[in-house]
Amino acid sequence: MKIDRKYKKKVETFLMGSEEHGVENTLKVFTVSSKEYWNITLKKKSSLTIDETELPSLKGYLREIYISQTKKTVENYISEVSGIISFLNVTKEYVGDKNNENTSLYINLTKKLKYEIHTLDVFFGKILQTLETELKNGVDKAEKDCLKNLNSLLKPEKMNFSGYHQTIKALCKNSGSFRSSRGDFIDLNNKLTSPIYATVNNTIKSTFQFNACTKRNIKGSLTLLQSNFLEYEAFKSKKTAQSYRLIYIKTELRRVLVLLEKKILHRKIIIYNSIMQSILEVMEPVYKDASKVQGPNSMNKIQKMFEEKLKECQSTMFKEAMKNMLAEFKDLNTDVIKTLEDKMEASMRLALAQFPEGLHLPDSTKELEQMKALCDTINLQIFN
């Protein structure tokens, strides 16, 4: 049993988008044969070599992911602790800071951050316009093809209809989807929405790609915001009276961006599924009614119920699905901007506040040197 390389490439394109649309296919796909792997391990007859089963490659790839994620977690932890320890040293080392100087720096940093956040907001706006254009094209095609797509599933060509009505009944009982004991999977909601997804898939995949920074994705825009903000001259200055305050601000921005990355990846799922979820909600009543149909000619009755529902709703339900996806994306945009504004405003205000006279905090000089050494060891640019 040789691995089908064409199938493998097809799966990669489905998961990551096509290279022609600017999406780099960096996700590895393994067409694993565990049965053949164990045949080889137990020294039984097998048509594959152990490498051709792709299980060793899969193990290696999972190990790479684990190491990468662990390294990222350690770096984020060290960054946060470095910021806190730096902040604790502000009062002890630099009680002579001038309040006016800190206030001026706060105003200038706020202006700089607002400008970078506005640039990020513009990026989101452009993606929203692209999505809206693509969704309109997808909706037009979905409305036009919905009955044809329905019949391709309910009345597939070259199908032995003996027992197929049981499959359709099972589909209705499971809100439009069914997986057979042989692994075959059919999904009416997916079939009806496929023209819409075909138009937006590459934009969604490229926009939410977080394993690389490009001008097309959110990751690239957040990284650009961070680098541009830290290019402000105050961060380059070695003036000791404010350096530890600025290190705290620097690590807080990193912390907020890590938080946003997790939030964005979670919201990506909601945004992507919003189209199908919207159609499912429209179709749910007919699924329930169709699942109760019994007796002779039940298949024809079910087909008629679906056709009548689509004729009734086809001019509105796909447009509503489009509105839902756009609304979810707008909510994400608003959430990202508000999170950056609120959390960084609070962090900068705290970092550049004038501490009360006589305030004494525990001596953390030793811990500060330890954090500097750790950052040097893992090449983490916090104190540089």
Side-chain angles (χ1 to χ4, degrees):
M1 184 185 78
K2 294 294 183 184
I3 302 300
D4 189 338
R5 303 297 170 186
K6 290 183 180 179
Y7 170 76
K8 186 173 180 177
K9 182 65 178 176
K10 183 179 179 181
V11 173
E12 289 173 347
T13 302
F14 171 76
L15 291 171
M16 295 300 292
S18 62
E19 293 173 357
E20 300 89 78
H21 289 83
V23 183
E24 184 182 358
N25 292 328
T26 55
L27 180 66
K28 295 181 180 178
V29 175
F30 298 89
T31 47
V32 173
S33 174
S34 57
K35 181 179 178 180
E36 294 294 334
Y37 177 83
W38 283 111
N39 283 342
I40 296 168
T41 303
L42 298 173
K43 297 183 179 180
K44 294 182 179 180
K45 186 177 179 181
S46 173
S47 59
L48 300 178
T49 66
I50 194 164
D51 287 334
E52 285 176 330
T53 67
E54 298 208 5
L55 266 171
S57 299
L58 176 58
K59 287 181 179 179
Y61 184 52
L62 293 176
R63 190 179 299 112
E64 288 175 14
I65 293 175
Y66 174 76
I67 292 172
S68 174
Q69 293 300 315
T70 302
K71 181 181 178 183
K72 189 183 293 186
T73 301
V74 170
E75 288 177 348
N76 293 338
Y77 177 76
I78 291 176
S79 172
E80 284 190 44
V81 175
S82 296
I84 294 169
I85 295 297
S86 297
F87 185 68
L88 291 176
N89 278 269
V90 170
T91 54
K92 184 175 78 70
E93 296 286 349
Y94 309 117
V95 292
D97 284 0
K98 297 179 181 179
N99 188 41
N100 290 341
E101 194 172 332
N102 288 334
T103 301
S104 176
L105 181 57
Y106 170 78
I107 292 171
N108 291 333
L109 286 177
T110 300
K111 287 181 180 178
K112 177 64 175 173
L113 185 62
K114 281 185 177 180
Y115 176 80
E116 297 303 332
I117 289 176
H118 173 71
T119 302
L120 177 65
D121 198 26
V122 170
F123 166 79
F124 271 102
K126 290 179 179 177
I127 297 297
L128 183 66
Q129 289 178 349
T130 301
L131 275 177
E132 187 170 6
T133 299
E134 292 174 345
L135 282 168
K136 285 179 180 177
N137 293 333
V139 165
D140 289 343
K141 187 161 180 56
E143 289 178 358
K144 179 182 176 182
D145 294 346
C146 65
L147 288 173
K148 182 179 73 174
N149 288 332
L150 170 70
N151 289 325
S152 71
L153 191 146
L154 295 183
K155 306 174 186 176
E157 295 181 4
K158 300 179 182 178
M159 167 63 68
N160 180 3
F161 282 93
S162 177
Y164 189 65
H165 69 284
Q166 295 295 338
T167 297
I168 299 302
K169 289 288 290 291
L171 176 146
C172 294
K173 290 178 181 178
N174 197 42
S175 298
S177 63
F178 172 74
R179 185 181 298 279
S180 71
S181 58
R182 296 181 303 174
D184 297 329
F185 185 71
I186 57 174
D187 190 330
L188 180 54
N189 303 308
N190 180 64
K191 193 70 176 177
L192 294 174
T193 57
S194 58
I196 302 178
Y197 281 116
T199 63
V200 299
N201 269 346
N202 280 297
T203 295
I204 294 289
K205 289 165 187 171
S206 62
T207 300
F208 289 93
Q209 185 184 23
F210 267 82
N211 58 353
C213 293
T214 73
K215 293 180 180 180
R216 292 186 178 93
N217 63 32
I218 297 173
K219 171 72 171 177
S221 295
L222 291 176
T223 301
L224 186 63
L225 179 148
Q226 182 182 34
S227 62
N228 286 347
F229 180 68
L230 297 180
E231 281 293 311
Y232 186 69
E233 58 187 13
F235 288 100
K236 297 179 180 179
S237 173
K238 298 298 180 182
K239 187 175 180 181
T240 55
Q242 291 174 332
S243 60
Y244 287 157
R245 295 177 185 269
L246 291 168
I247 287 170
Y248 177 72
I249 293 172
K250 182 179 181 180
T251 58
E252 280 295 285
L253 177 58
R254 180 189 175 102
R255 181 183 67 81
V256 171
L257 293 180
V258 169
L259 171 69
L260 283 176
E261 180 174 332
K262 293 177 181 177
K263 185 179 291 188
I264 290 166
L265 289 174
H266 172 71
R267 292 287 286 275
K268 170 192 174 182
I269 299 171
I270 297 173
I271 291 169
Y272 190 78
N273 290 339
S274 62
I275 295 288
M276 195 179 301
Q277 181 63 32
S278 181
I279 298 303
L280 188 153
E281 289 172 3
V282 173
M283 298 297 293
E284 187 65 41
V286 78
Y287 289 140
K288 289 183 178 179
D289 292 341
S291 66
K292 299 173 185 176
V293 175
Q294 302 288 341
N297 211 27
S298 59
M299 189 67 176
N300 288 335
K301 291 177 183 177
I302 290 173
Q303 290 172 354
K304 187 177 180 181
M305 292 170 69
F306 278 117
E307 288 173 358
E308 289 176 350
K309 183 66 175 179
L310 285 182
K311 288 175 182 177
E312 174 192 343
C313 300
Q314 70 182 104
S315 63
T316 58
M317 70 177 187
F318 296 111
K319 290 184 179 70
E320 192 63 30
M322 176 184 75
K323 289 178 183 178
N324 289 341
M325 176 175 272
L326 293 174
E328 290 289 351
F329 191 83
K330 286 178 185 177
D331 287 346
L332 172 64
N333 182 2
T334 301
D335 194 14
V336 169
I337 299 303
K338 190 174 188 316
T339 299
L340 275 167
E341 289 176 341
D342 292 351
K343 291 190 177 295
M344 287 309 300
E345 194 274 339
S347 295
M348 291 192 297
R349 188 177 291 278
L350 175 62
L352 296 168
Q354 187 71 9
F355 293 101
E357 291 186 15
L359 176 65
H360 297 287
L361 294 173
D363 186 359
S364 55
T365 307
K366 181 180 178 181
E367 286 80 2
L368 182 63
E369 294 305 316
Q370 288 177 337
M371 298 316 299
K372 287 180 179 179
L374 276 173
C375 288
D376 287 341
T377 299
I378 64 174
N379 196 30
L380 189 60
Q381 305 297 312
I382 298 297
F383 295 94
N384 299 24

